Amino acid sequence: MVNNKPPVLDIDPPLVNSANPWATTLDDLRSLYSCTSTGAVTTRTSLIGGFDHDPSKHQYVLFDAATHAAAKNASLNCLGYSPHTLETYLSFIKTISDEQQQEGQQRTARPTKGFIVSVTGTPAEVAASYWLVAAAQRHVALPLAVEVNLSCPNIPDKPPPAYSRDALAEYLAALSTATAATSTNNGPAADLPRIPFGLKTPPYTHAAQFSALMDALAATGTDAGRVSPVSFLTATNTLGSCLVLSATGLNPVLPAPGVGGLGGAPLHPLALGNVATLRRMLDADPALVHVQVVGVGGVLDADGYRRMRSVGAAVVGVGTGLGLRGVSVFGEIEARLGGLW
């Protein structure tokens, strides 16, 4: 097999935020980047053309999973994607990069802490998004990677693409072409740097869903013995179709019909199972063994971090914990780990 491995995520310490509502604004990203306990910063998922955010419909709630009372250990959201465009996030990143330069860091000594830019859209749009982020890398002194979110239920009349082998294959074909084009001398992506890209997956609950993903991934690496161009998988997104009722009136907390994506402690066992299963299946295929797993789902403290790492996560992401306790959650995790990442 030809050794044509894609670039890897180089994140140290291996702790990041997930793509979530607390990574929406420039100030959010600045705060996360300034935190010494994170090894990279993930942006909220964006579209090239932006998302039509309606605050009366797109909301989240932090709650206790056992009682449905106010914020304790879980989250539910029906937010959709970020109202900011991909171009806006790239401008945010350029601003932060420039600020780092002004504080004395030299461009020739590129800092290792960078950004995972979370994007979504049609196959053609995510390919274009990859090119836009790769082009931005030329002007940003921080490492960039692309996370393609294929796990949110915001495509009318269709399931999230990561639940369908055919849809996955279509996206992976577009992304494979996009990454290959960065090394050619013609086309819209000529001579762009090759940067890591990965897929964000939904919670899988049965074997056929895992197999469909593996089949689609492996199919991208079969030509001339090539390994898959995918660098990482982010597992897992929130669990959809969940409902939280008010503790007193037994009414939906979110706008009608009240269902949304569940995160936090209730998701943790399922997320651990997804990470463990993905790691085992990736390791069984020479074309996929290089693919890293970013473990996300219910990590609220150092114990959750340890569990994620023990089942194969190369990097651990925190979402609901950030909403509950702010950026300090990362320092709390590091302190409890005692530097033993």
Side-chain angles (χ1 to χ4, degrees), residues 25-45:
T25 67
L26 175 58
D27 284 344
D28 290 338
L29 300 183
R30 272 198 186 107
S31 180
L32 287 162
Y33 195 86
S34 298
C35 176
T36 59
S37 300
T38 58
V41 175
T42 308
T43 68
R44 186 172 172 187
T45 301

Side-chain angles (χ1 to χ4, degrees), residues 17-139:
N17 66 291
S18 65
N20 60 55
W22 308 286
T24 298
T25 67
L26 175 58
D27 284 344
D28 290 338
L29 300 183
R30 272 198 186 107
S31 180
L32 287 162
Y33 195 86
S34 298
C35 176
T36 59
S37 300
T38 58
V41 175
T42 308
T43 68
R44 186 172 172 187
T45 301
S46 64
L47 295 152
I48 288 179
F51 179 75
D52 187 14
H53 177 78
D54 182 345
S56 70
K57 298 178 180 178
H58 302 121
Q59 299 178 18
Y60 71 86
V61 61
L62 299 168
F63 68 100
D64 181 86
T67 66
H68 287 208
K72 290 291 183 180
N73 58 18
S75 64
L76 190 77
N77 86 83
C78 56
L79 283 168
Y81 307 122
S82 176
H84 298 310
T85 65
L86 171 59
E87 182 180 10
T88 298
Y89 278 111
L90 294 177
S91 72
F92 289 168
I93 292 169
K94 179 65 164 60
T95 296
I96 293 171
S97 176
D98 290 346
E99 290 170 350
Q100 296 300 305
Q101 298 269 51
Q102 293 166 6
E103 291 174 8
Q105 297 186 16
Q106 298 299 315
R107 193 178 188 82
T108 55
R110 174 173 295 209
T112 59
K113 184 171 183 176
F115 284 85
I116 301 171
V117 185
S118 186
V119 302
T120 195
T122 67
E125 288 168 345
V126 299
S129 296
Y130 178 88
W131 289 334
L132 287 169
V133 180
Q137 183 67 92
R138 289 174 165 171
H139 309 289

